[in-house]
Amino acid sequence: MTGEQAALTQQRHRGITLRHRLRPLGDEQYDADAALLRQFNPFFPRFCGHMVGQNSLEYALLLLHSDDRVYGTDDAGEANRILRRILEHQVLDPDADSYGNFLWMTHWDRVKDANAVAFLVPGLIYAWLNFPEKLDDSTKAAMQQQFPAMLAGVHGRKIQWTYSNIFFLCMGALEGLARVLGDDATHQTAVRAFDEWLEGTARDGFYEFNSPTYTPVTLIGMEAALTYTTDDVFRERLRRTMDVYTYQLAQNLMPTGFLGGAASRAYQRDVLHGTGHAAPWAHVKLGTPLAIGPHDRLMFVNHTLYDYVPPPQVRALVTDRPDPMVISDRNSGMASRRTHVVTSSYGLASQCMERVGGHSPAAYVLMVRNTDAPRPSLAIVPDESFSHLPCASFQSRQSDSRVVGRLWYDLPDDQRDHFLEDPTFVCEPRVLFGLRDQIEEVRVGNVDWGGRPVQLRAGQSVAVSWGGLFVGLTLTLTDAEGEPREGKAQLAYDEDGELRLRVLLLGGTEMAPDDEPLQALLIFDTHVPAEGETLGDYAEWLSCWELSVEGECVAAQHPDESRMAYPHTDADPDPIGDALHVSPDLTLRPGDLTPIINGETSPAILAR
């Protein structure tokens, strides 16, 4: 047995085990009368109820995979009921704008989330191709009759190539439909779309980069297309693309399976617990641990369906890599610049973000300890509400374990009244230090903090210890002219046990009609203490940092350390120059990705 065959066997075993783990979750959510799963969504009432667009199909695939050890074909029978119920919610009126798409929820009267067709079609094709003996005649007839409408629905979901996860789910759908319909024109459409994506990505850098949720979803679509296509050349291009994606994810992973590094999009569970799609994806493909917890989702089934195996050196990268390892990335189209420094003790990442918002804004700064503790991370985040509150922009520079940066908010003219009328409509970045029962000591300035809420003074520091690791933050709030302002940065343990620093840039009950947003200057540091070194020693060093701002330039100075400043200048240039990605085993400059994907060059790290 070759190394890749052995890796595939192990990968399949992990996938089977994960499917067995997810089965009780589906059993609990399944409503047999409706033949669909039911969900509660704490943020969006319209997503409460019986689901068509996600999870129900994954549960049907679990049932089709079941070996029916107890009751014969009952599992397959329920799977058929679910598949037919899903098909009942496809829009089959050829005159409708949403023809071929699906209602996401049964109680909707129209297509409100046009991504449903992208999520459903690859899995429906999987059921068709892999379980012909378990699909009954009525299910087969309905699927066969509705495949052409599905193709129309995918074409109707006109998606930009920068929206990577839905773009590649649609590509997986196109290749699957090209196969079952024997339609080469549809395959050629997928190839042209891929060429467009490759041209833009080679030029700009990756979009939806390193996202704990959306990069693995991108890989689901990519792997479906790789599996379904009958074009050997295209299959190899997709495989090499997955190799590059997998390399980038693997190098940002902690050995625990927590995806660190700067992300394009991330949910709160991703940032705090590392429990997004990246965790089960890394478990199946790379063999990292996967803790059992409350964040399991039926969608994780998709990571167990296909047989792509990462290159051997990529598989080894999670546990065998330089210490420290520095990963630098940028996307020129988004004006995004990211750095991740990974050591044996922690990973520290930061990024520049000019446009921030939506329901999944990523952390500005993310530090992940290399531990299997339930909460191993510290994050500076734009928003915790999941309700599209105004988010500050962030510009920063990272050198090794230290980040200097500036948070600010450009207030649109049409938002001022909203801020004044609604005290909950705020621009308030937050520092989430961690949980009370995991933190050993906290010092404010260089004074042992007693635990009661405190307003930080301008330039005052916070030092936190977990025993084997210290972190420090020095923060100064100023007005637009750079004059210090106080009373807007509160440190407290909240009811959830989180040590949270709220940095109010604009809004709240005390906002006056002519108030302008504040800006926050900060320096963040991570430190592994020497033997005998106390948090008091570290806090004394931390308190000597001084922050200043002139225009958009923020600088941090310390009597015993090198000056740090952002932005870069001709005299102090960006160390990666014009590169889009720099890591120990791979450098990508504009245009370099294309020959790799087309097989004209092959980096050693991706060798098979």
Side-chain angles (χ1 to χ4, degrees):
M1 181 181 291
T2 67
E4 183 158 329
Q5 289 172 327
L8 176 58
T9 297
Q10 294 168 0
Q11 182 174 296
R12 287 174 172 172
H13 288 171
R14 290 191 293 267
I16 291 169
T17 302
L18 179 57
R19 288 199 293 266
H20 278 275
R21 166 174 158 175
L22 294 172
R23 173 66 186 269
L25 178 63
D27 294 343
E28 182 178 348
Q29 297 177 2
Y30 183 53
D31 182 342
D33 291 335
L36 291 170
L37 272 67
R38 186 178 181 88
Q39 77 169 7
F40 167 74
N41 188 299
F43 303 104
F44 302 117
R46 71 177 186 274
F47 283 104
C48 293
H50 291 103
M51 295 174 286
V52 175
Q54 281 183 352
N55 296 333
S56 291
L57 175 57
E58 284 76 13
Y59 183 59
L61 296 180
L62 279 181
L63 294 173
L64 290 171
H65 270 287
S66 171
D67 61 7
D68 303 323
R69 281 178 293 193
V70 182
Y71 296 114
T73 61
D74 278 7
D75 282 356
E78 289 302 310
N80 277 270
R81 293 184 64 227
I82 294 169
L83 293 173
R84 290 195 296 272
R85 190 81 169 105
I86 290 170
L87 293 169
E88 289 172 7
H89 289 83
Q90 187 178 20
V91 178
L92 296 177
D93 178 0
D95 295 326
D97 291 339
S98 57
Y99 172 58
N101 214 314
F102 292 79
L103 303 185
W104 194 286
M105 307 294 293
T106 59
H107 63 276
W108 290 4
D109 59 357
R110 65 187 187 281
V111 173
K112 299 180 182 180
D113 190 327
N115 290 337
V117 69
F119 280 103
L120 287 170
V121 173
L124 290 169
I125 299 292
Y126 181 89
W128 175 267
L129 293 176
N130 288 278
F131 300 105
E133 77 288 354
K134 292 189 178 183
L135 299 182
D136 61 32
D137 290 344
S138 58
T139 304
K140 289 179 179 178
M143 293 177 74
Q144 192 164 26
Q145 183 177 0
Q146 292 176 225
F147 281 147
M150 293 180 204
L151 180 59
V154 175
H155 285 311
R157 183 66 180 110
K158 295 179 173 61
I159 199 72
Q160 292 291 324
W161 62 268
T162 55
Y163 191 10
S164 307
N165 79 98
I166 301 302
F167 179 83
F168 275 103
L169 285 175
C170 285
M171 186 172 295
L174 287 175
E175 282 296 335
L177 289 166
R179 181 168 171 178
V180 300
L181 295 173
D183 184 356
D184 185 65
T186 294
H187 161 63
Q188 296 302 329
T189 298
V191 173
R192 287 192 297 273
F194 181 82
D195 289 341
E196 180 187 16
W197 171 87
L198 179 57
E199 179 183 2
T201 303
R203 179 189 65 235
D204 295 350
F206 288 90
Y207 289 81
E208 290 198 327
F209 50 82
N210 197 49
S211 169
T213 290
Y214 292 106
T215 301
V217 171
T218 298
L219 290 170
I220 292 171
M222 205 178 293
E223 195 172 5
L226 181 152
T227 302
Y228 297 148
T229 187
T230 58
D231 181 339
D232 292 340
V233 173
F234 190 43
R235 182 183 299 109
E236 285 303 299
R237 296 177 77 200
L238 289 166
R239 182 189 59 76
R240 288 187 286 266
T241 305
M242 291 196 70
D243 289 348
V244 174
Y245 263 91
T246 301
Y247 167 71
Q248 292 188 326
L249 279 183
Q251 65 184 347
N252 284 291
L253 276 165
M254 302 303 290
T256 58
F258 193 122
L259 183 64
S264 55
R265 300 171 66 188
Y267 293 99
Q268 194 87 338
R269 63 179 179 267
D270 304 329
V271 170
L272 298 185
H273 307 289
T275 52
H277 276 269
W281 174 86
H283 173 67
V284 172
K285 299 298 187 183
L286 301 175
T288 55
L290 184 62
I292 297 176
H295 303 286
D296 283 353
R297 299 182 60 205
L298 266 297
M299 274 285 291
F300 294 170
V301 170
N302 291 287
H303 303 301
T304 74
L305 301 181
Y306 308 109
D307 282 344
Y308 164 80
V309 177
Q313 291 185 77
V314 172
R315 299 197 302 270
L317 191 59
V318 176
T319 55
D320 183 14
R321 56 188 169 194
D323 182 8
M325 180 171 70
V326 181
I327 308 156
S328 302
D329 294 279
R330 71 156 44 89
N331 179 291
S332 58
M334 299 171 64
S336 165
R337 172 70 167 85
R338 294 102 63 192
T339 302
H340 188 197
V341 175
V342 188
T343 75
S344 58
S345 300
Y346 64 87
L348 175 64
S350 62
Q351 61 181 314
C352 298
M353 304 167 67
E354 289 191 359
R355 299 184 297 275
V356 186
H359 61 262
S360 54
Y364 305 118
V365 176
L366 178 65
M367 191 279 291
V368 181
R369 293 177 290 138
N370 186 12
T371 172
D372 59 2
R375 170 63 191 287
S377 68
L378 178 156
I380 304 178
V381 298
D383 174 34
E384 289 187 86
S385 70
F386 205 78
S387 59
H388 292 245
L389 287 179
C391 294
S393 300
F394 186 57
Q395 296 286 9
S396 67
R397 178 178 185 173
Q398 181 172 343
S399 178
D400 297 327
S401 61
R402 201 167 295 148
V403 179
V404 62
R406 180 175 75 98
L407 289 159
W408 81 97
Y409 183 66
D410 290 326
L411 176 64
D413 293 337
D414 60 356
Q415 276 192 354
R416 181 175 294 277
D417 286 345
H418 195 169
F419 274 100
L420 290 167
E421 293 166 2
D422 183 354
T424 68
F425 189 74
V426 294
C427 180
E428 186 182 73
R430 298 179 178 186
V431 184
L432 308 177
F433 284 100
L435 299 178
R436 183 194 294 264
D437 60 1
Q438 295 180 22
I439 292 173
E440 293 193 5
E441 186 181 358
V442 181
R443 298 184 77 85
V444 176
N446 195 9
V447 177
D448 185 34
W449 181 51
R452 300 185 65 179
V454 61
Q455 289 284 351
L456 299 186
R457 300 191 304 272
Q460 196 166 34
S461 61
V462 178
V464 176
S465 169
W466 285 275
L469 189 66
F470 297 163
V471 298
L473 175 72
T474 299
L475 182 80
T476 295
L477 282 166
T478 79
D479 59 21
E481 285 70 43
E483 294 298 316
R485 293 284 299 275
E486 297 186 353
K488 301 291 185 178
Q490 177 175 278
L491 179 72
Y493 276 116
D494 288 332
E495 292 182 359
D496 59 358
E498 182 74 39
L499 178 59
R500 188 178 274 108
L501 176 63
R502 302 169 186 265
V503 183
L504 183 61
L505 301 185
L506 187 67
T509 56
E510 298 179 4
M511 180 176 170
D514 58 350
D515 278 356
E516 295 295 331
L518 302 180
Q519 61 181 341
L521 319 177
L522 63 87
I523 184 163
F524 180 88
D525 181 76
T526 306
H527 177 65
V528 178
E531 185 176 354
E533 184 179 2
T534 68
L535 188 65
D537 299 329
Y538 176 70
E540 183 66 29
W541 171 88
L542 183 67
S543 66
C544 294
W545 282 101
E546 293 186 0
L547 292 158
S548 61
V549 63
E550 183 175 342
E552 296 182 356
C553 178
V554 57
Q557 299 186 87
H558 191 286
D560 300 322
E561 304 290 346
S562 299
R563 179 179 182 270
M564 289 186 67
Y566 186 89
H568 297 284
T569 63
D570 290 340
D572 182 22
D574 189 333
I576 72 169
D578 67 346
L580 301 173
H581 171 87
V582 176
S583 59
D585 296 296
L586 182 66
T587 296
L588 293 174
R589 291 186 170 82
D592 285 355
L593 183 65
T594 301
I596 294 175
I597 300 309
N598 290 338
E600 298 159 11
T601 61
S602 181
I605 187 68
L606 305 182
R608 293 179 178 271

